Amino acid sequence: MFNINNFNYLTKELSDIRGVGKKTLNILNKKKIFSVLDLLWRLPYSFDDRSKVNKIKDLHIGKLQTIKVKVLKYNFPRKRNLPNKVFCSDDSGNIECIFFNSYEGYIRKILPLNNITTISGKISYYKNTYQITNPSFVSTDDTLILKKHNKYNLSEGLSNKVYNKIIEEVLKNIPNLEEWHSNNILKNFNNISWRESVLKLHDPVNIGKSERDFYRRLAYDEVFSSMLISSEIRRKIKKIKKEKKIFNQKYEKQIINNVNFDLTNDQNKALIDINDDLKKKEKMFRLLQGDVGSGKTIVALMSAINVIESGYQVCFMAPTEILARQHYTLAKKIYPKDIKIYLLTGNTALKDKKIILNLLSENNDNIVFGTHALFQKKIKFKKLGYIVIDEQHKFGVKQRKKLSDKGGKNCDILLMSATPIPRTLIMSVYGDMDISLITEKPKNRLPIITYSKAEEKISDVIKFVQKQIKLNNQIFWVCPLIEESKKVDQTSAVEKYDFLKKIFPNDVQLLHGKLDDIKKENILNNFLKQKYKILVSTTVIEVGIDFPNANLVIIENANKFGLSQLHQLRGRVGRGNKQGTCILIFKSNLSENAKKRIKILKQTNDGFKISEEDLNLRGFGDVLGFKQSGFKNFRLADPIINRDLFILAEKEIKNIEQNNLSTAKYEYLLKLYDQADILNDII
Ligand code: ADP
Ligand code: MG
């Protein structure tokens, strides 16, 4: 087994580390560096080379250089503001060391007269003399100086000199942890150990060498551990036994007669997956993933009715009230009359709320629609058997894990997400769930036509809008995310609203994040009812809502959005049979990257393809808008550069799952990546 004492060094608080005083500790903590591990994952971005001693006559002015000199003479002027000077020489020439803000006593101490001293700093040249002002390193012990010194991104008050010392101290004590990977895996990295890899990571000569074994091993550790944690959660959830749901799809068959379309193959497949899970004695924890408009709702509603047939209740949650209401209305329309269907929102009158809550706690023949707030409230269900959660992609693993516990052991769980995700990332992001994919769009769907326009040509866009209004169509006008700040967002939307109001006095409304929820709902409802034609908004509108009459979406400053986001935004139109159009407005002087993005959006309506391209173009940064969620970015691994490592890790995880192998040996790997805590509080 591992020696826990060795491991504990890594989680040690920094106040226990030599060289870390109170002041330094505060600065480090401010940078979110609390433990030895936090230090290790911060990489140097460059280094100063002080490893060579130069002769004074060969010094390069303006460069960082190291010299070995004899101290000849001091000059400590009694006048304020004049620097102290120390005159030194080697056998090739003379140099002056200039000190601002240093005391005489200190200088005498670090540069003792007649001694040979090593000095390192930036060289200047003034009045025919070499100078070195406030040298960064001065010592009679040249081993302290004659090496390469890493440069880290530090905050004010902390010097690289001090930081390097701390890192050196830490690296000296890095424990040798017992290997957790098999030989088979390790041979991919030339058998390099974890410790060795970390040491190399901080060796200046290796800066930027992400293709080397030490780096790839650590990147693999990171990817593998994220997948492992998800897989462990999945295995644990699968062990939960529930009562099987028994049904003959009696109602389900009635529903399909109440809609005027056939399910696509992917919808059918997903429904079969879900029904099979419902019938099993293991709890379902499944993700239904499909692009915007791929028809997830109907699949969820059909599976839900099977649950009701089997004598259980269903709780169906959406991110906004308006979306919950849409699902509710649809259920009312297509469900058989004997099924009880309720809607619980912030607007539900208290009296009705009481009645509904009472019905939910006493009967099991019902389904309730509402927002995510449904499970925060203490609602009592008589016999809850199924939770459906729509548009959930912003939940992280931890939040999902909590969800799976909701409703008790007999409760199956279906999450739905319209955010397609690149193949490489699926396991790391959604490895805790079983996944059903809908990649195919309903047959009658016309692909959205995408245009791009330079900002100067806004009059063309206005003409187009006028035409659409004459045809009785509605328009989304999405304003840019100029900065992360909501305030700026809002200003730009308000300005656009004022501008459009002059052209279309009775047809424009404004929606932004600062409005309270009830106002927002009202504006959206009035848009649905076609009380006005143009909705100017920031990105606040949820993607899931069906506005059957809206067929044009205009996105301003479109280069500020990522590909996936643009695709999501344009998905607000073209969900019915109408031809949808998207106009991307750009500032002129497009970057190459922006041009590529327009081209891709014009070429394809396939969200999965777009997510792959997004990953390629933008890097991992914020491909999916995951920044706000609990989803962690990788520190070393890069899904594009290290695609092979993701594949390798996925294979290994599948091997563990299929052969039911013990994962005890990975305990410390999980701790290294701060993920063990999720597992501990499972079930
Ligand atoms: P999403 O997957 O984005 O949640 P929805 O479930 O809201 O998509 O479906 C979008 C629209 O497509 C709805 O108006 C729905 O009635 C319709 N729809 C769903 N499935 C089909 C199908 N197989 N054929 C035709 N239209 C469909
Ligand atoms: Mg939806």
Side-chain angles (χ1 to χ4, degrees):
M1 262 328 268
F2 303 99
N3 184 339
I4 182 75
N5 291 327
N6 282 345
F7 184 84
N8 281 351
Y9 181 76
L10 297 169
T11 53
K12 239 188 192 353
E13 289 197 15
L14 293 176
S15 49
D16 297 346
I17 304 300
R18 210 154 38 130
V20 182
K22 247 204 183 121
K23 191 175 140 237
T24 309
L25 185 70
N26 274 337
I27 299 171
L28 290 172
N29 287 173
K30 265 197 203 121
K31 287 218 92 173
K32 296 206 160 66
I33 303 175
F34 298 100
S35 68
V36 169
L37 268 179
D38 294 338
L39 281 173
L40 293 184
W41 298 138
R42 282 178 184 255
L43 306 191
Y45 65 88
S46 169
F47 64 86
D48 286 334
D49 191 351
R50 302 179 196 271
S51 61
K52 253 189 22 229
V53 171
N54 293 279
K55 288 283 178 204
I56 291 177
K57 72 171 171 42
D58 302 327
L59 285 176
H60 286 272
I61 296 158
K63 289 236 162 97
L64 233 153
Q65 314 251 283
T66 306
I67 47 177
K68 210 166 181 174
V69 291
K70 188 170 177 187
V71 180
L72 302 175
K73 200 170 88 181
Y74 301 125
N75 177 3
F76 300 122
R78 295 298 153 213
K79 254 196 196 154
R80 279 174 112 242
N81 297 335
L82 281 184
N84 291 325
K85 285 187 185 173
V86 183
F87 302 95
C88 311
S89 72
D90 66 7
D91 57 14
S92 75
N94 299 318
I95 191 163
E96 294 173 10
C97 291
I98 317 274
F99 290 90
F100 287 94
N101 306 321
S102 290
Y103 294 111
E104 186 181 325
Y106 170 72
I107 293 169
R108 283 180 192 279
K109 200 173 124 204
I110 59 165
L111 286 167
L113 220 48
N114 295 322
N115 271 38
I116 301 286
T117 308
T118 308
I119 303 174
S120 182
K122 204 165 158 186
I123 307 297
S124 53
Y125 195 71
Y126 183 68
K127 289 192 177 162
N128 284 332
T129 319
Y130 286 106
Q131 294 186 326
I132 193 162
T133 306
N134 289 341
S136 21
F137 288 82
V138 177
S139 176
T140 45
D141 176 5
D142 59 12
T143 56
L144 289 179
I145 301 175
L146 289 178
K147 51 188 177 185
K148 296 181 168 108
H149 294 259
N150 277 336
K151 290 213 278 206
Y152 296 84
N153 272 318
L154 301 169
S155 33
E156 215 177 309
L158 190 61
S159 70
N160 266 300
K161 190 167 155 186
V162 172
Y163 193 82
N164 268 284
K165 257 196 174 156
I166 299 171
I167 293 279
E168 268 172 39
E169 167 70 17
V170 161
L171 291 180
K172 258 196 303 198
N173 293 298
I174 288 291
N176 214 345
L177 302 174
E178 201 170 311
E179 184 55 59
W180 41 76
H181 292 305
S182 67
N183 290 336
N184 232 347
I185 291 292
L186 275 185
K187 70 172 196 264
N188 290 290
F189 313 108
N190 257 322
N191 300 318
I192 191 163
S193 73
W194 180 80
R195 180 173 180 276
E196 184 82 357
S197 303
V198 170
L199 293 179
K200 290 207 161 159
L201 193 62
H202 286 270
D203 186 337
V205 300
N206 287 326
I207 289 174
K209 302 268 168 69
S210 58
E211 75 292 350
R212 299 266 304 272
D213 290 322
F214 75 91
Y215 193 100
R216 282 170 50 79
R217 188 230 142 100
L218 293 174
Y220 179 79
D221 274 352
E222 194 176 21
V223 173
F224 178 80
S225 75
S226 88
M227 290 185 188
L228 181 65
I229 196 79
S230 292
S231 157
E232 293 280 280
I233 292 176
R234 186 153 164 250
R235 286 213 283 181
K236 285 209 172 184
I237 291 173
K238 285 210 173 277
K239 279 195 190 132
I240 305 172
K241 294 283 180 264
K242 66 159 202 250
E243 272 176 34
K244 297 184 205 176
K245 303 203 163 67
I246 300 163
F247 52 88
N248 298 316
Q249 278 137 282
K250 172 178 95 178
Y251 291 128
E252 186 196 298
K253 284 173 193 147
Q254 289 175 31
I255 292 186
I256 197 66
N257 295 329
N258 291 344
V259 292
N260 54 0
F261 51 75
D262 294 323
L263 293 189
T264 61
N265 289 333
D266 280 354
Q267 282 175 314
N268 266 320
K269 257 196 277 170
L271 186 58
I272 290 170
D273 286 347
I274 297 168
N275 283 340
D276 284 351
D277 279 359
L278 293 171
K279 289 175 180 170
K280 276 186 195 147
K281 58 179 192 298
E282 290 89 22
K283 186 179 172 109
M284 166 165 86
F285 192 44
R286 182 172 287 278
L287 175 75
L288 177 57
Q289 204 188 43
D291 207 349
V292 252
S294 60
K296 296 181 291 293
T297 321
I298 188 75
V299 174
L301 286 176
M302 289 170 89
S303 62
I305 203 129
N306 290 327
V307 173
I308 299 176
E309 187 194 338
S310 73
Y312 283 91
Q313 289 162 287
V314 180
C315 176
F316 199 127
M317 290 184 269
T320 57
E321 298 203 354
I322 191 162
L323 192 51
R325 186 181 304 273
Q326 281 205 340
H327 293 338
Y328 164 79
T329 312
L330 180 60
K332 276 277 196 197
K333 202 169 110 192
I334 63 174
Y335 270 18
K337 292 292 162 274
D338 47 333
I339 307 286
K340 308 284 188 306
I341 307 167
Y342 307 126
L343 175 68
L344 268 183
T345 73
N347 289 327
T348 313
L350 204 62
K351 181 173 86 288
D352 298 335
K353 204 177 253 172
K354 271 194 180 152
I355 297 172
I356 294 174
L357 289 178
N358 202 32
L359 288 166
L360 289 175
S361 69
E362 292 187 353
N363 305 295
N364 58 352
D365 56 350
N366 48 42
I367 175 167
V368 60
F369 292 86
T371 63
H372 291 167
L374 274 186
F375 64 64
Q376 272 132 25
K377 302 211 176 94
K378 293 230 157 53
I379 299 177
K380 287 217 172 58
F381 288 92
K382 176 146 193 250
K383 208 175 164 195
L384 184 62
Y386 193 23
I387 298 179
V388 180
I389 298 155
D390 195 14
E391 300 296 348
Q392 69 75 53
H393 87 277
K394 291 200 169 126
F395 292 177
V397 175
K398 282 189 192 190
Q399 286 157 303
R400 284 204 297 269
K401 152 76 200 37
K402 275 195 190 131
L403 272 178
S404 78
D405 300 343
K406 292 277 168 194
K409 72 176 175 75
N410 283 327
C411 194
D412 289 303
I413 301 207
L414 181 71
L415 302 172
M416 299 200 278
S417 162
T419 311
I421 172 168
R423 177 71 199 83
T424 326
L425 290 172
I426 285 194
M427 262 296 237
S428 334
V429 180
Y430 289 131
D432 51 335
M433 288 181 283
D434 291 316
I435 300 180
S436 296
L437 282 185
I438 305 184
T439 52
E440 177 188 21
K441 294 264 168 71
K443 275 199 220 69
N444 59 357
R445 196 62 41 86
L446 297 162
I448 301 169
I449 299 176
T450 302
Y451 300 105
S452 55
K453 272 273 169 212
E455 211 173 39
E456 300 81 57
K457 299 213 169 146
I458 189 129
S459 55
D460 291 358
V461 178
I462 297 289
K463 272 184 210 143
F464 194 79
V465 170
Q466 277 162 335
K467 227 165 75 191
Q468 294 303 319
I469 291 183
K470 278 212 183 98
L471 293 170
N472 227 2
N473 291 325
Q474 286 176 289
I475 297 106
F476 282 111
W477 197 299
V478 182
C479 284
L481 209 72
I482 294 176
E483 271 172 51
E484 301 278 72
S485 130
K486 273 198 179 140
K487 209 169 141 213
V488 184
D489 251 24
Q490 192 185 331
T491 326
S492 77
V494 171
E495 274 168 13
K496 188 53 60 179
Y497 169 74
D498 291 341
F499 169 78
L500 289 170
K501 190 95 182 152
K502 284 184 195 134
I503 310 172
F504 308 98
N506 301 315
D507 283 325
V508 199
Q509 260 294 359
L510 171 67
L511 186 77
H512 56 71
K514 284 274 168 71
L515 295 172
D516 66 42
D517 287 350
I518 295 175
K519 279 214 182 95
K520 263 190 234 164
E521 296 272 336
N522 280 337
I523 292 173
L524 287 175
N525 267 323
N526 286 334
F527 191 54
L528 258 180
K529 289 180 193 152
Q530 303 189 41
K531 290 198 174 159
Y532 56 94
K533 300 291 184 195
I534 306 172
L535 181 61
V536 178
S537 78
T538 50
T539 54
V540 290
I541 311 171
E542 291 295 331
V543 228
I545 310 169
D546 243 336
F547 294 93
N549 202 51
N551 75 328
L552 172 61
V553 57
I554 294 160
I555 306 172
E556 280 207 55
N557 216 348
N559 33 330
K560 293 282 173 191
F561 297 102
L563 258 184
S564 294
Q565 220 180 346
L566 288 173
H567 176 64
Q568 293 272 319
L569 289 172
R570 78 172 166 183
R572 284 175 192 174
V573 299
R575 293 160 73 87
N577 300 332
K578 273 193 184 177
Q579 175 63 60
T581 305
C582 170
I583 302 178
L584 304 170
I585 300 187
F586 288 89
K587 295 210 184 292
S588 41
N589 303 329
L590 282 186
S591 68
E592 280 310 303
N593 213 317
K595 280 183 197 157
K596 268 190 208 151
R597 285 195 287 193
I598 306 177
K599 200 165 152 213
I600 293 162
L601 283 169
K602 283 184 178 170
Q603 275 170 352
T604 180
N605 269 281
D606 178 340
F608 287 92
K609 219 178 194 166
I610 287 170
S611 76
E612 298 283 350
E613 297 287 354
D614 205 6
L615 183 63
N616 285 331
L617 281 178
R618 298 215 299 160
F620 188 43
D622 189 26
V623 179
L624 315 154
F626 267 104
K627 253 184 194 156
Q628 316 92 310
S629 74
F631 183 72
K632 259 195 225 157
N633 275 355
F634 294 109
R635 281 176 267 231
L636 303 184
D638 180 304
I640 301 168
I641 298 169
N642 303 125
R643 197 167 291 222
D644 62 324
L645 299 182
F646 281 77
I647 294 168
L648 185 65
E650 203 169 314
K651 237 168 88 187
E652 188 68 5
I653 295 285
K654 291 212 168 113
N655 178 38
I656 293 172
E657 284 181 357
Q658 272 154 21
N659 299 309
N660 212 8
L661 304 178
S662 159
T663 53
K665 62 178 180 167
Y666 299 114
E667 184 184 348
Y668 287 94
L669 172 65
L670 293 178
K671 279 199 174 156
L672 280 180
Y673 290 95
D674 190 30
Q675 294 187 310
D677 60 316
I678 312 180
L679 268 185
N680 289 338
D681 58 41
I682 277 195
I683 299 148

